[in-house]
Amino acid sequence: MESRLQGDERLDYLVDESLKIIQSPSVFSFSLDAVLLSRFAYIPIQKGKIIDLCSGNGAVALLLTQRSNAQITGVEIQERLSDMARRSIVLNGLEDQVSMVTDNIVNVPEKLGHGRFDAVLCNPPYFPSANRKDHNENEHLAVARHEIYCTLEDVVSVSSKLVKQGGKVTFVHRPQRLMDILSTMRAYRLEPKRLQFIHPKKGSEANMLLIEGMKDGKPDLHILPPLTVYGEDGQYTEELKTVFYAK
């Protein structure tokens, strides 16, 4: 498979210089939420199966290879993005560990099987798609950010089907959707276990959350200390750096 850059694509480092990723400003670039999701999630370390839904250009799947030797599958509906992810996988020599599936996530349980994965991760579209005039004019970005091809319920339902009994499912999302997330997770037998709010700076409202659920787990939710991204100097906080550069 060719891994050379196409169009306005560029080659960036993924957090540090150990991984490279193909990005495009007009198609997709990974952001902090992908890094935090990859660091927060429970994953098997040596063997097992992990699946990353709504994988974009593969940032989460690539980052997980720094923490695990398990097999990792990324799922992305947009062919352009999944092609970028595949070329990044090749660039990093990870073809034996990471693979990509190009499809709508709602088709994945029938394609890959129910209860086959030890861990499911997802950085889903954050915004309901009812009002199309609010969508980004860029189709690639609109699909990544708005619930055009999959809703929150789809994401939770699919994750529940894919994960093993007792396995873990982890999402990154917006705090405004918290009640929807919690009620939908319970409706699909994913008991919330860990919740952490991310704040852009001290004293500001949270603008991101990380949440982990267990398939058919017992009620026992732990709310972790909040994580602040930027200090007064506008630089990453030490606590953020600890998470950001952890492997």
Side-chain angles (χ1 to χ4, degrees), residues 89-101:
I89 292 166
V90 172
L91 274 171
N92 291 285
L94 294 169
E95 303 97 310
D96 290 339
Q97 184 181 6
V98 186
S99 60
M100 288 296 299
V101 173

Side-chain angles (χ1 to χ4, degrees), residues 6 8-9 12 25-26 33 87 96-97 99 107 135 137 149 152-153 180-181 187 197 216 220-221 239:
Q6 302 173 5
D8 65 352
E9 293 175 352
D12 291 338
S26 64
D33 49 6
R87 285 182 283 130
D96 290 339
Q97 184 181 6
S99 60
N107 300 324
H135 293 182
E137 292 183 2
Y149 292 112
L152 175 62
E153 185 171 8
D180 294 334
I181 295 166
F197 293 101
D216 289 329
D220 184 28
L221 176 60
E239 59 179 341

